[in-house]
Structure formats: C-alpha cells, structure tokens
Amino acid sequence: MAALLRLENVSKRFGGIVALNQVNMEIQYGEFVGIVGPNGSGKTTLFNVINGVYFPDEGRVLFEDRDISRLPTHRRASIGLGRTFQIPRPFASATVRENVAVGAMFGSRGKETNVNESMLVAESIIERMGLSRHRDKKAELLTPVEKKLMEIARALAMKPKLLLMDEAMAGMHPGEIDRLVELLGGVAAEEEVAIVAMVEHVMRAVVGMAQKIIVLHQGEKICDAPAQEALNDPKVIECYLGYTPEEAS
Amino acid sequence: MMRTLDKYAAIFPVLVVYAVLFLLGLNMSGMWQLMATLLFYCALGQAFNIFLGMTGYVDFGYVAFVGMGTYGMAVTITSLAGTGLGGLTIIAGYIMALAFSGLLSLAVGAVALRLRGAYFAIATIGVNEGLRFLIEGTNLWGGSGGIIFTRQLNDILGKDASSALATFWADVLVLIIAVLAAITTIVYMRSKIGYALTALREDEDAAKVMGINVTMFKILAFMTSACFAGLLGATAWALKTPYVFPPEVFEIHYTIEAIIIVMLGGAGTLLGPVAGGLIYGIGKYVLSIVLPGFQLLIFAPLIIIIIVAFPDGVVGGIRNKFGHTALGRFIL
C-alpha cells in the first residue's frame, strides 16, 4: 500500500530565510511519528505546509497519492487531515460538546453527519477523553489541560486519517502525559489514525510511543529513524548540544 | 415533534414581543406610528444580527443594502408605471430590491470578506460612501435629485390603496420581514450553518482546520443579512415614503443605529435585536419628549452604562444568568 502522506522535495522560503529545505518524508497508515527539532528548525512550517496554511514554494505534498500541495485547508480536513494547536484554540463561547461536534459536522465524515448525529459522536468521544462532566460547560471555562484534551477530542471527531499534533503534551504533568499517551495509542490503533506529533520539550511522550522520529534542523531533515536510534544519532546530539561527542572527549 | 418544538422554542418570546407591539399599535389610538418605528428597529437589528452577530464582522456600510433595496423598488415602480401590471409591480419591485442588495453584497463580500477586523470595517465604509458618490456623480437613477415616485405609486395602486400602504400596510410588511428574519436566524443557528458561523467568529483559522469553508459561510451570512436589509428598504423607505435621495439612504447614521441595537440587545442572540430595538426605540422616543433637544446627550451615556453592565448585551447577560434553568430554552 502506498504511503498515507508523502512529501517530495518540499521547500518553503520566507524572504531570504529558508524555513524548509528539500524535505522528503513518508508517513504510513496508522503510524505514530515524532517530529523533533530545536526552536526555529522548521517544525511549525512543516505542519503548516502539510495542513495548507502555506503552500510549498517547491516540491509536492501527496496524501493517499493525491497531490494536495495547493488544496485549501478546509478541503484537506474533509479528506482526513486533522490538527491540534500548541496553544489550544477552542471556540470559546460554545460548549465543549458543541466544540467537539463541529469536528464531526465538518471533518471527513461531515457530509453524511447531521447536527444531531454529530452531537452523539461528540458525546462518545468526550466520554472517552474523560471530559463528560464538562460537557455543557463553555469551552473558555476549562483549564488549559482540559482545553487541550477537548481540542484533541475535537480533532478526533473529524475522523482523520492523519492527525498533526502541535506540542500536545507541553504543560502537562507526567501522570497526565502517560494517560494521554495510552489513550492516543488506543484510539490510533482502533481508528487507524496516523499521528504526527511535534515535540520540542517533552521527549518522554515521544520515546514512549513513536515508531519513528524525524529530526529537523535549520529547515533540513537530518534524521529519520526509530526512536532510540534517532536520539543517539551524533548529528541529532550535535544540533541540540552544539558539539559532537568525539569533540567533547 | 416534541424535540423539534423544543429546538425552536426560543422563537416564541420573539413572536410574542412582535404580536404585543402589533396589537398595541392596532388598539391604542395614536400609538401605531411609534409601534411601527419600534418594529422597524427590531427588524433592522434582526437582519443585521445575521451578519454582525453571527460572524463577528462589523459592517459599517450596512445601510447601503437598505439603500439598494429602496432603489430597487423605486426604479421598478418608475419604469413599470403605466404598464398596467398593478400589484404585480410591487412584487417585481421586491425581486429587484433583492437582486440589488444581494448582488451588491456578493460583490462586496467576495472582496472585502478577505479582510479581517478593522480593515473590513473601513472597506465597508468606503463601499457605502463610494456608492453614494457614484449615484450622485454619474447621475444614475436621477443622481442627487433622487427619485420621487408618489404619482407613479398612485397610478399603480390607486390613491386610497397607496395611502393605506404608506400608513398601515407597509408597517405590517415590516413586521412580516422581522418575523422572517427571526425564523431565518433560528434555522441558521440550529443547523450546521450556525455552528460554522460560531466557529469562525471565535477563531477563523481553527475553523478552517476543522473543515469549514469560512469564506463561503461568511458570504452566505453577509448575503442573507443584506437581502433582509434590501427588503426593509423596499418596504419602510420606498413603499412607506415614495421617494429616495442618495444622502438619505446612504446615511451612515442608520448603520450606527443598527450596530447599537444589536450590541445593546446581545450580538449573536435571537432575542437580542428585539430587546435592543425596543430599548433603543423607546429610549429615543421618551427622551425626545421629556428632554427635547438634549436626547442624544442623555442617551449616549445611558447606552454606555448598559453596555458596561451587560458586555454580552442584555439578552446575553440574562442568558449567562438563567441559561441553565428551565427558562433557558426560551432564551437564545
């Protein structure tokens, strides 16, 4: 079977700054991938190119073998691309249930789901995420962690094939991270969602779950390997710490 | 059946208020004109709310759509007078009014709705003023001389009927438009359209990520709102007073009034424009009797106080308080 998502020589420049330089990568169906890289390495730009916020200057983005390089963001959602943000962006005046239902109404199952059915979908996902008692609360009244969980619920309600998660675990304590990792692992396996999680700080989450890790540095992909291997790669260590182990000794 | 009733229960308070206004005007001597004015304010608020309240975009050129509706009716009546179509002319006038305001909103929306926040507001002021100068400068539709069609309206409907239209039936039509706008609002709110508009009002980028075609929904709300404005113009400004002058129908003052009505009552709520229309209309009327000449001086701080006390509008404030009680389903 072909890859779910494939990037072919994708470049994106802002003026003279090369944010992404000839990036190639593949994500398989149901795979869990961590995107790692220091500040300014191009992770967010990569997400924005996959998601359609930006169009690539060069190269192609293929989703299920279809070229989506120039497809607007909302159309990408309807073919199965979901996303959560680093700082949650709830629809503040709507209730938790309404927020999540919006995902079901307009995501990949949007065409065949009416308002009432979307509410039912939302309820089952909310329960799964452990947010049932906040169901009728306005989203703006949730705590930051609850907002994050709600945003993940909202993205899952879209029934995505690929879910881009932007620093989903930042700001959570280890217990919560473990719980979320387990939950996501379960959902991903069951619904066959491929998850691409962007990580800057919380390595714990990635190492525990990722089948592979892609490391970005100054807009280039410097490593694409299974988790342990990637974290021991000298080039990766260099870009995080500034020198190679050999130089240090 | 029960569920459907429950879903649309919030329309009843709106209909009750309209019915009370109508019956008061009908049965108390000398009250009809006041009630008609209040109904006009409510209808204007209700129509504007579909765009301003539901999308959060502020259109400072809204009155242009009322003006285009007025012109649509006026142009139709003057050009069809003498063809012997009778009452059909009025229907043709409404179709023309819808076409004028609908097409203008489509053209403006497709361009200006790409702008956000203050930039959108500024662009819409430009449209309103630009349109007025276009009509005056190119002598379109009589230019700055306007169109006076009292005689044509008399020819078409007969003298008695056209005066009954001006003093009574035009106001009844305004009431019908207000009810239609309220029904449209609740149908939108209860359908995917309402959820899409709420989402894009709260966070447009997040809404896109959820799969919402934000441009399409914004234009839909804009056009719906503009078409109701056009109907109002054709009724309250053309049929009721059979003349139209550019400086009058493109007067930004009316847009400001509409914004105040929606904000006072509660933007994005169903009952809000009704509450806002009543507060604004009654306040303006009472103050102009009690303190003639000073009404605006007193009214401005009063409006500020209400807005400070109810940041979400009067209905928004009440809903925050009682929304979870048994009364909640009637407050939307």
Side-chain angles (χ1 to χ4, degrees), chain A residues 32-35 47 84-88 129 144-145 147-149 151-152 163-185 188 195-210:
Chain A
F32 193 105
V33 178
I35 305 273
F47 267 33
T84 66
F85 296 94
Q86 176 171 11
I87 298 160
M129 299 298 289
V145 170
K147 277 183 190 159
K148 226 156 221 193
L149 291 173
E151 204 173 73
I152 295 170
L163 176 57
L164 303 170
M165 294 180 70
D166 194 340
E167 282 280 349
M169 328 270 178
M172 293 186 174
H173 67 68
E176 284 166 343
I177 292 175
D178 289 344
R179 193 171 75 87
L180 186 57
V181 165
E182 203 186 305
L183 203 86
L184 278 177
I195 296 179
V196 176
M198 184 201 297
V199 182
E200 198 168 313
H201 311 291
V202 193
M203 292 292 180
R204 178 192 176 91
V206 191
V207 180
M209 191 155 64

Side-chain angles (χ1 to χ4, degrees), chain A residues 89 93 105 110 113 119 158, chain B residues 192 195 202-203 209-211:
Chain A
R89 301 174 77 160
S93 71
M105 268 179 235
T113 321
M119 289 296 173
M158 295 167 68
Chain B
K192 284 190 180 184
Y195 289 91
E202 297 292 333
D203 192 325
V209 169
M210 303 316 292

Side-chain angles (χ1 to χ4, degrees), chain A residues 83-102:
Chain A
R83 176 178 186 174
T84 66
F85 296 94
Q86 176 171 11
I87 298 160
R89 301 174 77 160
F91 305 129
S93 71
T95 65
V96 171
R97 186 163 56 146
E98 288 166 342
N99 263 274
V100 178
V102 165

Side-chain angles (χ1 to χ4, degrees), chain A residues 25-27 33-36 212-216 221 223-225:
Chain A
M25 60 186 264
E26 273 192 5
I27 310 289
V33 178
I35 305 273
V36 177
K212 75 173 183 185
I213 286 183
I214 291 171
V215 186
L216 290 178
K221 189 174 87 170
C223 181
D224 186 339

